[in-house]
């Protein structure tokens, strides 16, 4: 469960998925540098290469690539005699070379009737015209990719990114399956599924377990990133921003903002007709999910932010400028980062020691307590606030109580955590964060029954919440450990009581025996 005082981590670099990073794989042999006219041995099996004409660039064909030379069109590396195969892998585009191939790397003792005798050494004059890269995507032959045209730069789409492609798909016999001049989908979506596909118009059916061939062009894609670890706040970049800097806590940001519901209803529009909408980051001036998302945006960036209820307006209805947001709504914001002014001199979270983080959290708590007092203020002549003002005051109370509870958790003041979360639940009985944090406090206070009640209720409301599930597993382990310790305690206690009883019985028997023994008379 994300808490208000969890500090952001540095972004991960998008690594090219095509790079083979298998550290156990054998490293390729280094190709020796040749001069025109020079002949040298390649490897240790007697294969020789004489350079006739230099090639271009530095790339050479790899295993499985389809190669075109002056005499052999489109053969796969790995499907010809070994010597030719080894030689071709050392050539660059446009290069010409003469290869002397010993019989062991050619046709061996049997030769190739009728033209090649046994144990024959062969010579080939080869010019490498071009090649097509063929990659084994899954490393098991299940999916292979033949690159017809190289793309730009080095980045690739990753899970959750939305890609825009053109494609034609057909079966091995050439039957058309599907075709599109432009379609957008999420990378993790299945194309046709394990059950195949029914026939439609000129497109044939796809039988189960069919091998498909797809001519695919990646036109573009939009990066989708997880703003929170529980994936309840997502950001899809519509337009890339400038540079690399993003706002930090306390920064003043200026944005253009449109808020929408699932059905497309616009409930908020700011910064378009007048000056850009301005607010201060991490000051609770906007909903939590939006606050977190803008901290990842660059100047000029346009993004669509998806925010689930926990980070939006929660389980309460909210009146906004243009529409009412129903309870438990997922909301969408199209945000354009016009500009921002960072706060300099303030340490980023990753630069802070734990003590500094706690101090920062406590300062924030004091500020929020002041906001809470303002939220509780009433007009002199009674409560004359509008419904929207009342709703904002309610949200401010909930946020202040929850942030205060997060701070108290860090300070290990579990009694106060329980009180603050109870206040939240009195206002919003279905607040998952409050149930989760109160359960954490109960566990530390060894009130395991109450902790279990809170966790079960939180899972009823949000059954897919990974953090609550994790806490439930931890609670079960605690219960097992507690029961084991309790059993051991009572076992030891009963063992001691049994031992005392045995001692009492033995002492009693000894006394009775002493009384019954005759007293010796003096002689």
């Amino acid at each position: 469960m994300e808490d208000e005082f969890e500090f952001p981590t540095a972004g991960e670099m998008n690594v090219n998925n095509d790079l083979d990073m298998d550290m156990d794989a054998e490293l390729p042999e280094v190709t020796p540098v040749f001069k025109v006219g020079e002949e040298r041995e390649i490897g240790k099996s007697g294969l020789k290469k004489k350079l006739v004409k230099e090639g271009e660039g530095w790339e050479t064909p790899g295993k499985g690539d389809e190669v075109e030379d002056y005499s052999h069109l489109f053969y796969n590396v790995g499907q010809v005699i070994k010597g030719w195969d080894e030689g071709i892998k050392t050539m660059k585009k446009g290069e010409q070379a003469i290869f002397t191939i010993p019989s062991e790397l050619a046709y061996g003792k049997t030769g190739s009737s009728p033209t090649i005798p046994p144990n024959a050494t062969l010579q080939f004059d080869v010019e490498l015209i071009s090649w097509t890269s063929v990659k084994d995507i899954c490393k098991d032959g299940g999916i292979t990719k033949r690159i017809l045209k190289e793309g730009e730069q080095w980045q690739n789409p990753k899970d959750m990114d939305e890609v825009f492609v053109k494609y034609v798909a057909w079966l091995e016999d050439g039957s058309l399956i599907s075709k599109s001049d432009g379609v957008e989908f999420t990378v993790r979506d299945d194309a046709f599924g394990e059950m195949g596909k029914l026939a439609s118009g000129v497109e044939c059916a796809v039988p189960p377990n069919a091998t498909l061939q797809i001519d695919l062009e990646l036109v573009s894609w939009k990066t989708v990133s997880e703003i929170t670890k529980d994936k309840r706040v997502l950001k899809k970049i519509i337009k890339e921003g400038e540079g690399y800097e993003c706002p930090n806590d306390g920064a003043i940001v200026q944005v253009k903002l449109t808020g929408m519901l699932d059905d497309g209803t616009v409930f908020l529009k700011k910064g378009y007709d007048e000056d850009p909408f301005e607010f201060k980051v991490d000051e609770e001036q906007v909903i939590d999910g939006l606050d977190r998302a803008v901290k990842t945006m660059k100047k000029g960036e346009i993004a669509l932010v998806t925010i689930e209820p926990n980070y939006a307006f929660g389980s309460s209805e909210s009146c906004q400028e243009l529409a009412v947001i129903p309870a438990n709504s997922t909301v969408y914001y199209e945000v354009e980062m016009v500009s921002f002014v960072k706060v300099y001199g303030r340490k980023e979270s990753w630069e802070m020691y734990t003590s500094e983080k706690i101090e920062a959290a406590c300062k924030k708590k004091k500020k929020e307590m002041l906001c809470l007092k303002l939220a509780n203020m009433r007009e002199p002549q009674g409560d004359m606030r509008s419904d929207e003002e009342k709703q904002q005051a309610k949200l401010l109370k909930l946020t202040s109580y929850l942030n205060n509870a997060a701070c108290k958790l860090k300070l290990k003041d579990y009694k106060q955590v329980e009180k603050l979360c109870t206040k939240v639940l009195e206002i919003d009985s279905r607040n998952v964060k409050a149930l989760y944090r109160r359960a954490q406090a109960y566990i530390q206070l060894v009130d395991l029954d109450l902790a279990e009640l809170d966790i079960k209720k939180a899972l009823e409301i949000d059954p897919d919440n990974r953090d609550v599930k994790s806490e439930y597993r931890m609670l079960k382990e605690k219960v097992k450990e507690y029961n084991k310790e309790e059993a051991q305690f009572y076992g030891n206690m009963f063992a001691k009581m049994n031992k005392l009883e045995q001692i009492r019985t033995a002492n009693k028997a000894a006394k009775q025996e002493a009384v019954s023994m005759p007293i010796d008379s003096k002689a």
Side-chain angles (χ1 to χ4, degrees):
M1 173 80 65
E2 294 281 335
D3 66 37
E4 277 74 8
F5 301 118
E6 183 165 317
F7 294 89
T9 57
E12 295 180 355
M13 179 177 286
N14 179 19
V15 179
N16 187 339
N17 294 334
D18 282 342
L19 292 177
D20 185 359
M21 300 301 289
D22 183 1
M23 300 305 291
D24 295 326
E26 290 184 8
L27 292 174
E29 291 184 9
V30 178
T31 303
V33 178
F34 285 81
K35 296 178 181 178
V36 173
E38 181 182 9
E39 183 177 45
R40 293 172 64 177
E41 186 173 344
I42 299 172
K44 300 177 181 178
S45 301
L47 174 65
K48 294 181 180 179
K49 173 182 175 182
K50 181 179 181 179
L51 184 63
V52 177
K53 183 179 75 172
E54 290 185 347
E56 306 167 8
W58 56 272
E59 292 180 298
T60 57
K63 184 178 180 181
D65 286 356
E66 295 178 351
V67 176
E68 181 180 3
D69 62 45
Y70 78 97
S71 60
H72 289 73
L73 300 182
F74 292 108
Y75 70 85
N76 287 343
V77 174
Q79 296 182 357
V80 293
I81 62 172
K82 189 174 180 181
W84 189 311
D85 208 3
E86 294 300 317
I88 290 290
K89 288 193 292 186
T90 70
M91 297 185 74
K92 303 168 187 173
K93 183 179 178 181
E95 182 179 320
Q96 184 180 353
I98 297 173
F99 292 100
T100 303
I101 305 174
S103 63
E104 292 82 1
L105 300 180
Y107 295 95
K109 296 178 181 179
T110 58
S112 179
S113 180
T115 55
I116 301 175
N119 300 313
T121 296
L122 307 179
Q123 276 196 336
F124 290 92
D125 188 340
V126 182
E127 181 178 355
L128 181 58
I129 298 170
S130 64
W131 73 88
T132 301
S133 293
V134 178
K135 297 182 183 295
D136 185 350
I137 303 298
C138 300
K139 310 299 181 189
D140 61 1
I143 302 175
T144 56
K145 178 178 78 170
R146 184 158 63 92
I147 301 174
L148 302 180
K149 177 187 172 185
E150 288 287 348
E152 303 168 7
Q153 301 178 352
W154 55 269
Q155 298 98 328
N156 301 106
K158 58 184 184 301
D159 283 354
M160 298 200 311
D161 285 356
E162 291 187 3
V163 298
F164 184 75
V165 301
K166 297 177 182 179
Y167 73 89
V168 180
W170 59 91
L171 297 175
E172 286 183 295
D173 63 5
S175 301
L176 178 68
I177 296 169
S178 184
K179 179 179 180 180
S180 175
D181 289 330
V183 64
E184 189 172 65
F185 64 92
T186 302
V187 171
R188 289 193 299 190
D189 289 347
D190 293 329
F192 298 107
E194 294 180 0
M195 301 304 294
K197 169 182 170 289
L198 296 174
S200 174
V202 297
E203 299 174 354
C204 74
V206 180
N209 302 314
T211 297
L212 309 181
Q213 293 181 337
I214 303 174
D215 189 335
L216 183 68
E217 179 185 351
L218 176 59
V219 180
S220 62
W221 76 87
K222 296 181 178 71
T223 302
V224 179
S225 55
E226 302 167 9
I227 302 300
T228 58
K229 290 180 181 177
D230 56 10
K231 300 182 182 180
R232 296 186 182 278
V233 181
L234 302 175
K235 184 186 75 168
K236 178 170 71 175
I237 297 176
I238 308 298
K239 178 190 170 189
E240 290 285 348
E242 307 166 10
Y244 63 92
E245 285 200 324
C246 299
N248 59 353
D249 287 346
I252 304 294
V253 300
Q254 291 188 325
V255 300
K256 293 180 181 179
L257 195 65
T258 303
M260 296 163 286
L261 298 176
D262 254 329
D263 61 4
T265 301
V266 175
F267 61 81
L268 182 73
K269 200 171 181 71
K270 288 181 176 288
Y272 290 92
D273 298 332
E274 307 166 358
D275 293 331
F277 173 53
E278 184 175 285
F279 65 93
K280 196 172 185 179
V281 175
D282 201 39
E283 290 291 328
E284 310 294 341
Q285 295 177 10
V286 294
I287 59 172
D288 189 19
L290 185 57
D291 219 1
R292 292 169 185 254
V294 297
K295 288 198 290 186
T296 69
M297 296 183 68
K298 302 167 187 172
K299 183 180 178 181
E301 181 179 325
I302 301 176
L304 180 65
V305 183
T306 303
I307 306 174
E308 292 192 19
N310 285 5
Y311 295 94
F313 298 94
S315 57
S316 303
E317 188 179 90
S318 177
C319 297
Q320 295 295 304
E321 288 182 2
L322 305 176
V324 174
I325 299 176
N328 299 308
S329 291
T330 295
V331 293
Y332 306 85
Y333 286 90
E334 185 176 291
V335 187
E336 179 180 349
M337 178 63 73
V338 179
S339 66
F340 60 86
V341 179
K342 292 182 71 170
V343 177
Y344 291 99
R346 176 185 291 186
K347 282 187 177 181
E348 299 286 357
S349 62
W350 51 269
E351 297 177 299
M352 292 183 180
Y353 294 106
T354 302
S355 58
E356 291 176 307
K357 290 182 182 180
I358 292 174
E359 183 184 353
C362 291
K363 283 181 181 178
K364 185 175 181 181
K365 185 207 80 171
K366 290 177 183 178
K367 190 184 298 181
E368 284 162 353
M369 291 308 294
L370 177 59
C371 291
L372 185 59
K373 288 178 183 178
L374 292 173
N376 284 322
M377 286 178 66
R378 295 290 184 269
E379 297 290 335
Q381 301 297 323
D383 192 352
M384 303 296 291
R385 297 176 299 175
S386 66
D387 289 342
E388 185 179 350
E389 288 171 334
K390 289 178 183 177
Q391 182 65 26
Q392 288 175 346
K394 179 181 174 182
L395 290 173
L396 186 57
K397 276 186 186 181
L398 292 176
T399 304
S400 296
Y401 286 142
L402 285 170
N403 284 356
N404 198 358
C407 182
K408 293 297 184 184
L409 267 176
K410 292 184 181 293
L411 296 173
K412 300 183 180 180
D413 189 349
Y414 303 117
K415 284 287 186 184
Q416 279 300 314
V417 175
E418 186 267 335
K419 288 179 181 178
L420 289 162
C421 291
T422 299
K423 286 182 179 181
V424 173
L425 294 166
E426 287 170 356
I427 301 170
D428 177 9
S429 63
R430 294 174 61 81
N431 191 292
V432 174
K433 277 189 179 181
L435 289 165
Y436 171 73
R437 288 186 183 147
R438 191 168 72 172
Q440 287 179 302
Y442 282 146
I443 289 172
Q444 297 300 324
L445 295 168
V446 201
D447 204 334
L448 303 183
D449 290 336
L450 290 177
E452 186 173 14
L453 286 173
D454 277 353
I455 287 177
K456 284 184 174 178
K457 186 172 181 181
L459 287 174
E460 284 176 13
I461 299 165
D462 188 1
D464 298 323
N465 192 303
R466 292 183 298 176
D467 295 299
V468 178
K469 285 181 180 178
S470 175
E471 197 69 25
Y472 196 20
R473 286 193 294 270
M474 190 183 299
L475 173 63
K476 287 180 178 178
E477 291 299 319
K478 284 273 186 185
V479 170
K480 283 182 185 177
E481 184 182 329
Y482 181 75
N483 289 341
K484 185 177 178 181
E485 289 175 357
E486 194 174 46
Q488 187 176 359
F489 170 76
Y490 284 115
N492 291 340
M493 185 175 72
F494 289 138
K496 287 178 182 177
M497 289 172 64
N498 188 41
K499 191 172 182 180
L500 286 171
E501 187 62 29
Q502 288 175 354
I503 292 171
R504 288 194 193 99
T505 303
N507 288 341
K508 187 176 180 181
K511 285 179 181 178
Q512 288 177 349
E513 185 178 352
V515 169
S516 62
M517 287 178 63
I519 301 173
D520 293 336
S521 57
K522 293 182 180 180

